[in-house]
Amino acid sequence: DSGVTQTPKHLITATGQRVTLRCSPRSGDLSVYWYQQSLDQGLQFLIQYYNGEERAKGNILERFSAQQFPDLHSELNLSSLELGDSALYFCASSVVEVTNTEAFFGQGTRLTVV
Amino acid sequence: AQSVAQPEDQVNVAEGNPLTVKCTYSVSGNPYLFWYVQYPNRGLQFLLKYITGDNLVKGSYGFEAEFNKSQTSFHLKKPSALVSDSALYFCAVRDPNTGRRALTFGSGTRLQVQP
């Protein structure tokens, strides 16, 4: 168990809908990263937050947004969902932003858009 | 830009034999390199990392990796494979010179260990 908690584990929703994925980082970790894992794209970095502030953006669509709250949990909001958004969404956390520290991953949320 | 390549989609090895999962990287400076493993329906688990120092890095579950700067490689190895090692393995890189803190992952290599 990595200590990173993601809810829900599975989510099935229809095209055009909006969903929110939640992540609780390891105790004490200030940095949260969101990744998307799909069969054809592999693991793609979406966005990073550090202590409530957005730090870096990767291949995140405009329909997607995220935030990190004062208690350090983070939410990833996906709207106007398309079939191609079906994927496994991972949250990872690390203590600080130092580049030599490893990140710890949650078990992911499997999103299926039908 | 930082990138990492895993040239093999799948590696098959018999239980008890040594295994190697290949990874090459591209960064502008000295890299920070990581290996993660993903078991079915699980998140990624950290195995080991190379930051600096000894080129041979030892990690969890008996895995080790060898950093080779001249070949820009960071291959994952284990002297004797177990059936339970069967999983998806990801190599990842950070380039400390870019300030980019997110890991860039390779496409993954599926390791199949046959009994």
Side-chain angles (χ1 to χ4, degrees):
Chain A
D1 183 6
S2 67
V4 179
T5 304
Q6 289 187 248
T7 56
K9 286 191 170 54
H10 302 277
L11 199 49
I12 301 175
T13 189
T15 54
Q17 295 298 304
R18 172 189 168 95
V19 297
T20 297
L21 312 184
R22 183 188 169 101
C23 168
S24 294
R26 292 189 319 157
S27 177
D29 284 2
L30 299 177
S31 198
V32 169
Y33 307 81
W34 285 97
Y35 286 85
Q36 179 193 57
Q37 185 180 29
S38 58
L39 284 175
D40 55 345
Q41 294 287 325
L43 263 166
Q44 298 287 315
F45 166 65
L46 296 177
I47 196 165
Q48 180 210 353
Y49 279 82
Y50 178 76
N51 203 19
E53 292 186 6
E54 181 186 302
R55 281 295 219 227
K57 270 188 172 180
N59 301 321
I60 188 166
L61 299 172
E62 284 191 12
R63 301 183 284 109
F64 296 1
S65 65
Q67 52 185 328
Q68 186 179 27
F69 295 86
D71 67 352
L72 301 177
H73 92 271
S74 178
E75 292 181 356
L76 179 67
N77 300 298
L78 315 176
S79 62
S80 302
L81 285 167
E82 302 175 359
L83 294 178
D85 297 327
S86 296
L88 199 47
Y89 291 84
F90 285 111
C91 166
S93 72
S94 61
V95 174
V96 290
E97 291 188 288
V98 178
T99 50
N100 63 3
T101 56
E102 58 271 28
F104 292 86
F105 283 74
Q107 294 198 16
T109 293
R110 183 170 295 282
L111 173 67
T112 303
V113 182
V114 297
Chain B
Q2 58 191 38
S3 66
V4 63
Q6 294 181 244
E8 302 156 317
D9 289 336
Q10 181 153 328
V11 169
N12 298 309
V13 64
E15 188 174 31
N17 282 0
L19 70 87
T20 299
V21 182
K22 295 179 181 177
C23 170
T24 59
Y25 65 89
S26 175
V27 299
S28 57
N30 293 319
Y32 293 156
L33 294 158
F34 303 78
W35 275 102
Y36 283 81
V37 59
Q38 184 180 23
Y39 296 101
N41 301 314
R42 302 296 298 272
L44 278 73
Q45 294 179 34
F46 169 73
L47 277 179
L48 51 79
K49 66 181 178 183
Y50 171 82
I51 303 301
T52 187
D54 195 348
N55 289 341
L56 186 63
V57 179
K58 293 191 184 298
S60 306
Y61 311 122
F63 284 93
E64 57 191 28
E66 187 168 10
F67 172 67
N68 187 317
K69 189 171 183 177
S70 63
Q71 297 186 5
T72 62
S73 67
F74 188 55
H75 300 332
L76 182 70
K77 300 182 180 186
K78 188 172 182 182
S80 177
L82 299 171
V83 172
S84 57
D85 292 330
S86 299
L88 191 54
Y89 290 81
F90 289 95
C91 182
V93 67
R94 274 201 195 108
D95 181 350
N97 293 324
T98 65
R100 179 184 164 96
R101 291 161 178 86
L103 293 165
T104 296
F105 285 88
S107 54
T109 298
R110 188 163 300 281
L111 173 67
Q112 195 69 39
V113 181
Q114 283 111 16

